[in-house]
Amino acid sequence: MKWGIYMKILAIDSSGLIASAALATEDAVLAEYTTNYKKTHSQTLLPMIDEIVKMTETNLSELDAIAVTAGPGSFTGLRIGSATAKGLGQALEKPLIAVPTTEVLAWNFCGSEAVLCPLMDARRSQVYTGLYRWNKETGSMDCLTEQKAVAVEEIIAEVNHLGQPVIFLGDGADAYHAVLEEKTEVDYSFAPLHMSKQRAASLAACAFIYAKAEKLQTAAEFVPTYLRKSQAEREREEKERAEQSTGK
């Protein structure tokens, strides 16, 4: 497949509290719909996609690929986004482009010279995070530290070790604002509100880079990246261990 300015990608992001969808060609975001208001992704995501398609007079068969945030993030959100992308991909026979959540967040600051530190609140005193830097020569994002689930103090130590200015973004930057201010030893800043959370337009921009590199997969192949077990899985395992220890 030859990728160019007339190719269309539908981008879907429901990895966090925000639900976002966008339709883009390589040279323009045709539409973007983002919401962060008291509703579940199961209530918002499909109506948002439907509105985008109607407003741009797009037939879904015109799409060349569907981009989806691969995770980590909210287990429920990832499952809804994954099911939506896989369903559309299978029905339309279109490839999927899966992009790590933290890389999608970093793309909000493409062009920046700072180290980019996306932070998603993973609860249990942890964040989903990674470190990135924009590469102006390749027009893509270099990954300095692969995404992982760690204590916020651990990623702060990595940032301090690099010794370079950093931008913190994501809902984890809100949740751990005080400790970031206290323990960060390099020059730092926090992303402004319009660039601090997931945006489907950023996912779409990154997805074109992935597409050119042939990082495509079928809907059947795609599996979200959770990085750690869900609360329900952890509770079940704890219950099983407790039963085994008591001989039940």
Side-chain angles (χ1 to χ4, degrees), residues 1-11 23-28 60-68 93-99 203-218:
M1 181 181 291
K2 183 178 180 181
W3 293 87
I5 62 174
Y6 299 109
M7 298 297 175
K8 286 184 180 180
I9 288 178
L10 174 67
L23 181 66
T25 62
E26 194 172 6
D27 68 340
L60 287 175
S61 63
E62 300 172 15
L63 298 176
D64 293 285
I66 298 161
V68 60
E93 297 184 341
K94 303 296 182 180
L96 266 57
I97 304 170
V99 184
L203 169 60
C206 183
F208 278 103
I209 302 297
Y210 271 52
K212 290 178 181 178
E214 298 296 328
K215 294 181 180 180
L216 308 170
Q217 54 189 295
T218 66

Side-chain angles (χ1 to χ4, degrees), residues 179-237:
V179 69
L180 291 167
E181 286 192 321
E182 177 187 354
K183 296 184 180 295
T184 303
E185 299 172 357
V186 298
D187 290 339
Y188 68 89
S189 60
F190 292 94
L193 62 89
H194 66 295
M195 299 171 71
S196 65
K197 306 297 190 299
Q198 290 91 327
R199 288 189 58 185
S202 293
L203 169 60
C206 183
F208 278 103
I209 302 297
Y210 271 52
K212 290 178 181 178
E214 298 296 328
K215 294 181 180 180
L216 308 170
Q217 54 189 295
T218 66
E221 291 171 330
F222 172 62
V223 177
T225 301
Y226 295 110
L227 286 188
R228 70 181 194 186
K229 296 176 182 178
S230 68
Q231 181 177 348
E233 290 173 316
R234 294 194 301 269
E235 290 176 349
R236 184 178 67 248
E237 290 179 355

Side-chain angles (χ1 to χ4, degrees), residues 18-112:
I18 288 174
S20 187
L23 181 66
T25 62
E26 194 172 6
D27 68 340
V29 176
L30 303 180
E32 183 180 24
Y33 195 151
T34 301
T35 184
N36 182 22
Y37 185 76
K38 299 180 181 179
K39 291 187 178 181
T40 65
H41 297 322
S42 60
Q43 294 175 294
T44 58
L45 198 56
L46 285 174
M48 288 163 57
I49 293 171
D50 184 57
E51 186 67 20
I52 284 174
V53 168
K54 288 179 180 177
M55 290 296 291
T56 59
E57 300 179 341
T58 298
N59 189 313
L60 287 175
S61 63
E62 300 172 15
L63 298 176
D64 293 285
I66 298 161
V68 60
T69 306
S74 158
F75 284 81
T76 301
L78 289 176
R79 286 170 181 149
I80 292 171
S82 171
T84 302
K86 287 168 74 72
L88 289 172
Q90 289 175 334
L92 300 170
E93 297 184 341
K94 303 296 182 180
L96 266 57
I97 304 170
V99 184
T101 306
T102 55
E103 184 173 353
V104 172
L105 278 164
W107 265 80
N108 289 354
F109 283 87
C110 62
S112 172

